[in-house]
């Protein structure tokens, strides 16, 4: 591959993320050499970083770090530059990153700690301050990153570069990597509306699945299409009967293994079209193009596809990762207020699971439909899926609020509450069961402010409790495991809940 010197690639990330090694891998893919800023600082000052810290103090190191990083960024001499972990803390460095392709190697704090503890690095001595620094830096990395790559699965440098080089300005690329494979997630206002972006490498004819509300608004953002299947909008279409219609339409239109299904719509279209793609000819590729807030912050990621049965929600389905996800928050401008509100419940759920900067911004009133919030929610989910694609443990935390939420949807025949509305009510029950009364009140206020219901109206709470027994997470005849919260950022899956506590938490909603 010929060397591509423009724009230069800059690697950022916390200590232990493996920036130097990744920089060498990227540079090799470009036939060039990488520069490591920490090594250059050591050369210039004439001693290792540990000694600079010990003999001159951290402020002296930071001064040198800022000066030398700025110099290297401005010189644009190297096609691949690995910055020190703290370089993005300097506002002048963040400003100087404009015009570079900034790639954040994202590493979970526990893994970073395992990699560097006992290494003698100056800031890797104490677990608590290490974690605090990690949490402080995360929003800085996210704010400047063009591309976010999970540090543990940063394998396919050429594919990441191909996806990154083709993306429009002002968009972010989150590299989704899980056990079953990797794919790009492009997020940015104008990505589809203005740019009509299509991911590099996803070839074949496009078979569009959408619904009757979305089709007239956005059919044109995917062009060209070989055929279009349009379903009736709403949860009532997420059935085996509708999957049957889609399979048959695809077959009649001549779709083959080399083609690709495009799911353009909300979570219903995404789940149904994804399920059809997972099963049609034993599995074809599909691209998620989410157009609701629920889908942009949650359902388009992670590869869970499926349909409902009258008995219970999402009871038939398959894990099938998309080939790409294209997210344009600009498409949310036509979304009715009630649908935006339903998506807000998923934003609050995700923020409670993530804790840290995302929760702080949501509780402070951040716009849930902004590209920043959408990307932060997407990243939260992708990180979890990366570590547990098939729901063996960790992924279950994403079901916070869903046990009661799904039961509520089932007993009301999927017609009374939007999915997000039911999740909002389920969150309130989960927070009560978690013993977090104050947080429950705060969340209820946030939900109410966004026009979401915080009480059950005309629904028998005891029927809801009975329906929780059909939750898919239940094993055999055992109790239904709940996801509870210790505090924002600390969800715990698999919790046993006393029946009387569950009854009280659901009845409280009916007051
Ligand atoms: N697979 C997963 O991991 C996952 C996660 C969360 C939710 N879900 C599923 O998602 C579904 C809910 O998704 P949803 O809330 O997006 O519902 P939805 O797909 O029914 O969309 C809601 C409504 O908005 C309309 N709409 C969509 N985009 C629009 C736009 N840009 N402008 C105007 N109208 C638009 C739709 O036609 C529909 O009437 C549920 O079935 C839920 O189980 C799946």
């Amino acid at each position: 591959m010929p060397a591509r010197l423009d724009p230069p690639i800059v690697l950022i990330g916390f200590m232990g993320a493996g920036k130097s090694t990744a920089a060498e891998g990227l540079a090799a893919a470009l036939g060039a050499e990488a520069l490591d800023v920490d090594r250059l600082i050591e050369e210039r000052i004439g001693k290792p970083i540990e000694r600079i810290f010990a003999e001159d103090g951290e402020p002296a190191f930071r001064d040198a770090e800022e000066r030398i990083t700025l110099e290297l960024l401005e010189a644009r001499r190297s096609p691949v530059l690995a910055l020190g972990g703290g370089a993005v803390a300097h506002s002048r460095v963040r400003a100087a990153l404009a015009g570079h392709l900034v790639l954040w190697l994202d590493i979970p704090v526990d893994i970073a700690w395992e990699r560097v503890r006992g290494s003698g690095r100056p800031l890797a001595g104490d677990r608590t301050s290490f974690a605090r620094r990690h949490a402080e830096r995360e929003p800085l990395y996210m704010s400047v990153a063009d591309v976010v790559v999970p540090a543990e699965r940063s394998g396919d440098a050429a594919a990441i570069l191909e996806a990154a080089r083709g993306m429009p300005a002002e968009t972010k690329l989150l590299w989704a990597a899980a056990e079953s494979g990797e794919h790009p997630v492009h997020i940015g206002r104008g990505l589809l509306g203005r740019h009509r972006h299509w991911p590099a490498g996803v070839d074949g004819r496009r078979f569009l699945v959408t619904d009757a509300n979305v089709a007239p608004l956005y059919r044109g953002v995917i062009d060209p299409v070989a055929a279009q299947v349009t379903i009736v909008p709403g949860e009532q279409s997420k059935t085996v009967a509708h999957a049957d219609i889609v399979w048959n339409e695809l077959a009649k239109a001549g779709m083959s293994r080399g083609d690709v299904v495009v799911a353009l719509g909300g979570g219903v279209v995404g789940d149904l079209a994804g399920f059809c793609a997972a099963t049609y000819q034993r599995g074809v590729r599909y691209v998620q193009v989410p157009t609701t807030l629920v889908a942009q912050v949650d359902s388009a990621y992670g590869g869970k596809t499926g349909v409902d049965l009258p008995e219970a929600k999402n009871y038939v389905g398959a894990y099938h990762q998309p080939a790409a996800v294209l997210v344009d928050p600009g498409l949310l401008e036509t979304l009715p207020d009630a649908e935006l509100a339903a998506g807000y419940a998923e934003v609050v759920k995700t923020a409670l699971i993530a804790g840290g900067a995302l929760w702080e911004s949501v509780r402070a009133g951040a716009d849930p439909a902004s590209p920043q919030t959408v990307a932060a929610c997407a990243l939260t989910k992708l990180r979890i899926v990366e570590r547990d694609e098939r729901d063996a443990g960790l992924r279950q935390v994403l079901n916070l609020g869903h046990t009661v939420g799904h039961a509520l949807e089932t007993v009301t025949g999927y017609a009374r509450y939007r999915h997000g509305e039911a999740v909002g009510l389920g969150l309130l029950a989960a927070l009560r069961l978690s013993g977090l009364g104050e947080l429950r009140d705060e969340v209820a206020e946030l939900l109410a402010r966004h026009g979401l219901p915080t009480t059950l109206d005309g629904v028998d709470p005891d029927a809801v409790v009975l329906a929780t027994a059909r939750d898919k997470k239940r094993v055999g005849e055992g109790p239904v495991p709940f996801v509870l919260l210790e505090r924002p950022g600390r969800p715990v899956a698999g919790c046993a809940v006393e029946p009387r506590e569950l009854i009280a938490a659901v009845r409280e909603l009916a007051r």
Side-chain angles (χ1 to χ4, degrees):
M1 190 190 294
R4 298 274 305 266
L5 298 178
D6 211 27
I9 299 165
V10 178
L11 276 139
I12 59 169
F14 203 60
M15 68 187 102
K19 297 183 290 293
S20 312
T21 315
E24 278 162 22
L26 284 166
L30 295 169
E33 263 188 50
L35 274 186
D36 185 311
V37 178
D38 278 352
R39 296 291 80 75
L40 279 165
I41 296 174
E42 291 181 329
E43 270 173 43
R44 294 265 184 100
I45 300 189
K47 52 188 169 188
I49 289 176
E50 292 78 39
R51 274 186 50 211
I52 306 175
F53 265 75
E55 293 168 15
D56 311 329
E58 183 172 349
F61 172 77
R62 295 293 169 209
D63 281 350
E65 178 184 54
E66 182 179 24
R67 188 166 31 81
I68 296 171
T69 307
L70 284 172
E71 190 190 302
L72 290 165
L73 287 173
E74 275 150 27
R76 296 170 78 92
R77 228 180 36 232
S78 170
V80 184
L81 196 62
L83 302 196
V88 295
H90 307 287
S91 58
R92 289 169 63 204
V93 168
R94 293 201 297 279
L97 285 170
H100 296 76
L101 183 69
V102 182
L103 200 146
W104 170 25
L105 271 192
D106 176 29
I107 184 145
V109 67
D110 49 339
I111 294 175
W113 176 247
E114 282 312 314
R115 284 186 183 179
V116 303
R117 62 191 283 208
S119 63
R121 293 199 198 200
L123 302 175
D126 160 51
R127 175 81 166 82
T128 310
S129 51
F130 185 84
R132 198 192 54 242
R133 234 177 245 263
H134 185 277
E136 283 166 4
R137 297 238 179 105
E138 186 174 300
L140 295 177
Y141 294 136
M142 186 63 167
S143 71
V144 294
D146 300 303
V147 182
V148 185
V149 178
E152 283 183 287
R153 293 186 193 266
S154 52
D156 197 345
I160 296 169
L161 282 185
E162 188 188 13
R165 296 291 193 194
M167 70 189 197
E170 308 288 307
T171 58
K172 270 196 201 312
L173 166 64
L174 310 186
W175 193 251
E179 200 69 33
S180 70
E182 307 186 354
H183 63 266
V185 174
H186 292 276
I187 302 179
R189 203 185 287 282
L191 180 77
L192 294 156
R194 199 154 20 99
H195 295 292
R196 302 281 193 272
H197 181 67
W198 185 256
V202 184
D203 44 13
R205 292 177 302 162
R206 302 168 198 171
F207 287 72
L208 189 66
V209 180
T210 186
D211 76 24
N213 290 335
V214 177
L217 292 168
Y218 299 119
R219 178 173 35 206
V221 304
I222 305 298
D223 185 45
V225 297
Q228 176 178 331
V229 186
T230 307
I231 61 162
V232 175
E235 189 73 28
Q236 285 89 335
S237 289
K238 225 178 95 173
T239 63
V240 182
H242 285 82
D244 192 34
I245 294 171
V246 175
W247 288 319
N248 280 293
E249 292 291 327
L250 295 177
K252 270 192 268 171
M255 186 180 175
S256 71
R257 299 288 289 269
D259 299 323
V260 55
V261 170
V262 182
L264 173 72
V268 166
V269 166
D271 283 10
L272 175 72
F275 176 61
C276 291
T279 43
Y280 182 79
Q281 297 187 349
R282 297 207 183 88
V284 293
R285 293 167 305 152
Y286 73 116
V287 171
Q288 288 276 21
V289 187
T291 63
T292 63
L293 187 55
V294 166
Q296 294 200 353
V297 299
D298 190 344
S299 67
Y301 320 104
K304 276 192 185 178
T305 72
V307 295
D308 304 326
L309 294 185
E311 288 75 15
K313 212 174 138 61
N314 297 335
Y315 242 42
V316 177
Y319 290 94
H320 188 48
Q321 293 292 345
V325 187
L326 304 177
V327 187
D328 182 348
L331 304 192
L332 302 176
E333 276 158 24
T334 51
L335 201 60
D337 288 347
E339 298 299 345
L340 213 47
Y344 180 70
E346 296 282 16
V347 170
V348 173
K349 176 205 83 170
T350 309
L352 287 170
I353 292 168
L358 180 56
W359 167 241
E360 290 306 326
S361 75
V362 167
R363 75 194 300 203
D367 174 5
S370 70
Q372 291 76 11
T373 308
V374 168
C377 289
L379 182 59
T380 301
K381 182 159 179 184
L382 292 172
R383 282 170 169 170
I384 292 169
V385 174
E386 180 209 335
R387 296 176 91 170
D388 176 24
E389 185 175 5
R390 296 232 160 192
D391 244 346
L394 178 67
R395 185 169 179 168
Q396 288 174 20
V397 302
L398 292 170
N399 266 9
L400 181 68
H402 280 59
T403 309
V404 167
H406 281 167
L408 192 51
E409 284 184 85
T410 306
V411 300
T412 53
Y414 307 113
R416 173 79 172 273
Y417 291 102
R418 290 176 176 82
H419 176 70
E421 292 169 346
V423 167
L425 288 159
L427 277 179
L428 297 180
L431 292 173
R432 172 64 67 218
L433 292 169
S434 305
L436 299 173
E438 259 180 46
L439 185 60
R440 185 193 184 281
D441 292 345
E442 183 178 355
V443 168
E445 208 184 304
L446 287 173
L447 299 179
R449 216 184 294 154
H450 283 77
L452 284 162
T454 55
T455 53
L456 283 179
D457 190 12
V459 179
D460 175 8
D462 295 349
V464 177
V465 171
L466 275 179
T468 60
R470 280 196 293 275
D471 191 277
K472 290 195 301 304
K473 302 291 173 293
R474 187 178 183 201
V475 180
E477 292 294 303
V480 180
F482 273 77
V483 182
L484 301 183
L485 202 66
E486 261 173 47
R487 58 179 158 80
R490 275 291 171 89
V492 187
C495 300
V497 162
E498 289 289 329
R500 63 183 165 73
E501 285 180 23
L502 175 60
I503 291 167
V506 179
R507 283 190 184 161
E508 181 186 17
L509 293 170
R511 260 188 249 133

